[in-house]
């Protein structure tokens, strides 16, 4: 991509973002929105400069919870999809269960897991994240595993290979793009789930608990600073998933 093309891609969103911030500042300064409802961007920037170190420290704690739950939930989702694609009975059982787990609100899961494993343990928060990311990985991987090329299917039947061999050499390589689609969806979702889970007690070291405590003390600019930290963390997770896909996809295509 040339420099001119980069400018054409980057300039419109930058202009829209700057215009939105200016409009936000003008509306708050004009008194159209109370500062306890929505602080001005300059107030948030000033608070962020004061608590930048705390935001980074809380982001590390939330990121650790999110990445642990993301890895566990992703592995479980892919494994469940492989088993569901291989055995019809498991597909009939796992599909409705995963849909039910996806429909279950996080605010209901977090207190239950806290009661089961203790609110001071990191396990409940990580389990909340794992449950939240399970569904996108399961659905997308199962969709990829079912999309087998008819030519490849006929070839496997003519060779009389086993079902697991078909899964290993045909279905799984074909499902890789679907797995990464699910991973990209789950990456940002894991951060949201970790932040929401931190609202419900436990160690006060993450972004969610810091947002709650700052809002309780009516320090709204400081609360928005932690919100910005959560946004940045979600973007970082998404970019990491995108980079992983870019790095592994050419290698996987060559091995197919």
């Amino acid at each position: 991509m040339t420099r001119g093309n980069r400018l054409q891609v980057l300039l419109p969103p930058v202009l829209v973002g700057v215009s939105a911030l200016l409009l936000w500042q003008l509306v708050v300064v004009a008194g159209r929105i109370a500062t306890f409802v929505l602080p001005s961007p300059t107030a948030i920037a000033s608070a962020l400069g004061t608590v930048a170190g705390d935001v980074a420290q809380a982001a590390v704690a939330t990121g650790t919870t999110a990445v642990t739950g993301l890895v566990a939930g992703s592995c479980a989702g892919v494994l469940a999809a492989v088993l569901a694609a291989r055995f019809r009975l498991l597909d009939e059982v796992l599909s409705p269960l995963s849909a039910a787990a996806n429909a279950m609100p996080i605010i209901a899961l977090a207190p239950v897991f806290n009661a089961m494993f203790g609110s001071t343990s990191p396990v409940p928060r990580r389990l909340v994240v794992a449950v939240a990311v399970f569904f996108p990985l399961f659905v997308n991987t199962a969709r990829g595993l079912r999309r087998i090329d008819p030519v490849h299917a006929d070839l496997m039947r003519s060779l009389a290979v086993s079902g697991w061999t078909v899964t290993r050499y045909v279905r799984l390589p074909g499902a890789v793009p679907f797995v990464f689609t699910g991973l990209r969806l789950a990456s940002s979702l894991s951060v949201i789930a970790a932040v929401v889970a931190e609202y419900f007690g436990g160690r006060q070291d993450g972004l969610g608990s810091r947002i709650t405590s700052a809002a309780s003390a009516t320090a709204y600019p400081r609360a928005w600073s932690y919100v910005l930290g959560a946004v940045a963390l979600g973007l970082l997770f998404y970019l990491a998933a995108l980079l992983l896909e870019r790095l592994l996809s050419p290698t996987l295509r060559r091995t197919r």
Side-chain angles (χ1 to χ4, degrees):
M1 184 181 289
T2 64
R3 186 174 181 179
N5 290 335
R6 286 199 191 99
L7 279 176
Q8 286 181 352
V9 171
L10 295 176
L11 197 57
V14 170
L15 287 176
V16 171
V18 172
S19 301
L21 287 175
L22 288 175
L23 180 62
W24 179 356
Q25 179 74 25
L26 288 174
V27 169
V28 175
V29 170
R32 297 296 181 184
I33 300 178
T35 53
F36 66 88
V37 175
L38 184 64
S40 67
T42 52
I44 296 172
S46 176
L48 182 59
T50 306
V51 297
D54 290 338
V55 172
Q57 195 173 19
V60 170
T62 302
T64 303
T65 299
V67 76
T68 307
L70 178 62
V71 171
S74 299
C75 292
V78 171
L79 179 61
V82 170
L83 293 174
R86 183 69 182 85
F87 303 105
R88 180 180 293 275
L89 178 61
L90 280 177
D91 187 21
E92 294 174 354
V93 173
L94 289 174
S95 294
L97 282 179
S98 64
N102 182 59
M104 194 175 297
I106 296 173
I107 56 174
L109 285 177
V112 172
F113 287 150
N114 280 338
M116 291 172 63
F117 298 99
S119 59
T120 56
S121 169
V123 174
R125 297 175 179 180
R126 294 172 183 178
L127 279 177
V128 168
V129 176
V131 171
V133 305
F134 175 85
F135 186 73
L137 264 301
F138 174 77
V139 170
N140 283 281
T141 305
R143 185 179 301 167
L145 290 170
R146 293 188 186 104
R147 289 168 63 95
I148 182 172
D149 192 319
V151 175
H152 293 162
D154 291 340
L155 178 61
M156 293 295 108
R157 274 195 295 269
S158 66
L159 295 174
V161 297
S162 67
W164 285 114
T165 305
V166 176
T167 299
R168 179 180 176 184
Y169 290 105
V170 178
R171 292 187 186 276
L172 274 176
V176 168
F178 294 86
V179 174
F180 279 113
T181 299
L183 187 61
R184 276 188 274 117
L185 293 172
S187 58
S188 300
L189 181 61
S190 66
V191 176
I192 296 171
V195 170
V196 173
E198 288 168 352
Y199 281 122
F200 299 92
R203 297 182 62 185
Q204 302 294 301
D205 59 348
L207 290 168
S209 53
R210 299 292 175 86
I211 292 170
T212 305
S213 61
S216 301
T218 65
Y220 297 108
R222 182 153 52 92
W224 274 88
S225 300
Y226 291 114
V227 171
L228 287 180
V231 172
L233 188 62
L235 287 174
L236 182 64
F237 268 58
Y238 181 80
L239 291 175
L242 202 60
L243 180 63
L244 188 65
E245 181 179 6
R246 295 280 177 89
L247 290 175
L248 292 182
S249 290
T251 305
L252 291 171
R253 277 198 295 269
R254 284 197 297 272
T255 58
R256 288 174 61 180

